[in-house]
Amino acid sequence: MNIFRLTGDLSHLAAIIILLLKIWKTRSCAGISGKSQVLFALVFTTRYLDLLTSFISLYNTTMKIIYIGCAYATVYLIYVKFKATYDGNHDTFRVEFLVVPVGGLAFLVNHDFSPLEILWTFSIYLESVAILPQLFMISKTGEAETITTHYLFFLGLYRALYLINWIWRFYFEGFFDMIAIVAGVVQTILYCDFFYLYVTKVLKGKKLSLPA
């Protein structure tokens, strides 16, 4: 494992922990898109079904279990524990417009036409757009809490580091996965505008505001 993948995994984990701590400490899920979190839970569930069929390493298995567990814990906090604080009126993105096309694409473009491989491909495609309900919610409300922007920053940083990881692996290991790379590029592009606002406003102590 190279340093870029390791730091990418740690950035991903940091994003998840930041979100969970934000919800738990404030006893509120205000400003958090439950729909994005459901999509991420679906991403991890369909991607890590190989937990039942193969073992790669203790690190790999542990991280997969953490991702799945934290994803469902977040969904539970939003829709059950702190349901009264969930702002469903602003979380209105039509997720079926993401899930259905992504599901169709996974059937058409994959590495191997087998159930596990199609579900893995589905998870890769879905992850690239799963943050859209959250970004849509922020644009609709016009602003975001600082802690929420930190969550989004580390989530975007994880994907950017993974792009570097794939470049590294191509040059030093000869590994190349077009599906993962294209999906990763799409996901990183979705974060570009947010990264700019994060660096120019949030890191300078200003509140992040977006046009509604």
Side-chain angles (χ1 to χ4, degrees):
M1 178 187 299
N2 62 67
I3 188 63
F4 301 111
R5 178 176 176 180
L6 178 60
T7 52
D9 286 345
L10 294 178
S11 294
H12 195 183
L13 188 59
I16 294 171
I17 292 174
I18 286 171
L19 183 63
L20 281 170
L21 287 178
K22 183 268 181 191
I23 296 173
W24 188 257
K25 292 182 70 174
T26 63
R27 320 297 286 183
S28 170
C29 53
I32 303 299
S33 169
K35 291 186 176 182
S36 269
Q37 297 309 312
V38 168
L39 292 180
F40 281 123
L42 182 58
V43 165
F44 296 137
T45 301
T46 53
R47 180 173 303 171
Y48 298 141
L49 289 173
D50 62 349
L51 278 170
L52 305 174
T53 61
S54 62
F55 176 81
I56 298 175
S57 69
L58 180 60
Y59 171 84
N60 183 274
T61 297
T62 301
M63 293 299 283
K64 288 177 179 179
I65 293 174
I66 289 175
Y67 288 150
I68 294 173
C70 287
Y72 281 97
T74 303
V75 171
Y76 168 78
L77 292 179
I78 293 173
Y79 286 103
V80 180
K81 182 72 174 178
F82 304 119
K83 182 179 180 180
T85 66
Y86 169 55
D87 187 7
N89 291 327
H90 287 124
D91 194 14
T92 57
F93 193 94
R94 299 285 296 277
V95 293
E96 61 269 27
F97 291 157
L98 300 178
V99 175
V100 174
V102 162
L105 185 61
F107 269 96
L108 296 173
V109 183
N110 52 66
H111 294 307
D112 180 55
F113 198 75
S114 64
L116 282 181
E117 188 64 30
I118 291 173
L119 288 172
W120 178 87
T121 306
F122 170 79
S123 77
I124 295 296
Y125 292 151
L126 184 60
E127 186 184 18
S128 69
V129 294
I131 199 62
L132 282 176
Q134 180 67 66
L135 297 178
F136 180 77
M137 187 175 185
I138 292 177
S139 68
K140 195 170 183 179
T141 59
E143 60 183 28
E145 295 180 20
T146 299
I147 193 69
T148 304
T149 63
H150 292 334
Y151 158 71
L152 290 172
F153 173 78
F154 278 102
L155 202 59
L157 180 62
Y158 135 71
R159 181 46 62 189
L161 287 168
Y162 254 64
L163 285 179
I164 302 175
N165 159 63
W166 289 321
I167 294 173
W168 175 279
R169 294 190 66 184
F170 175 73
Y171 279 103
F172 293 96
E173 301 176 15
F175 176 83
F176 185 77
D177 188 333
M178 179 60 73
I179 289 176
I181 291 174
V182 171
V185 169
V186 170
Q187 188 174 357
T188 304
I189 289 174
L190 291 178
Y191 284 94
C192 284
D193 186 49
F194 171 81
F195 279 152
Y196 173 77
L197 292 173
Y198 184 88
V199 172
T200 58
K201 292 189 176 183
V202 177
L203 294 185
K204 294 181 180 180
K206 299 178 182 179
K207 192 170 185 178
L208 179 64
S209 297
L210 300 174

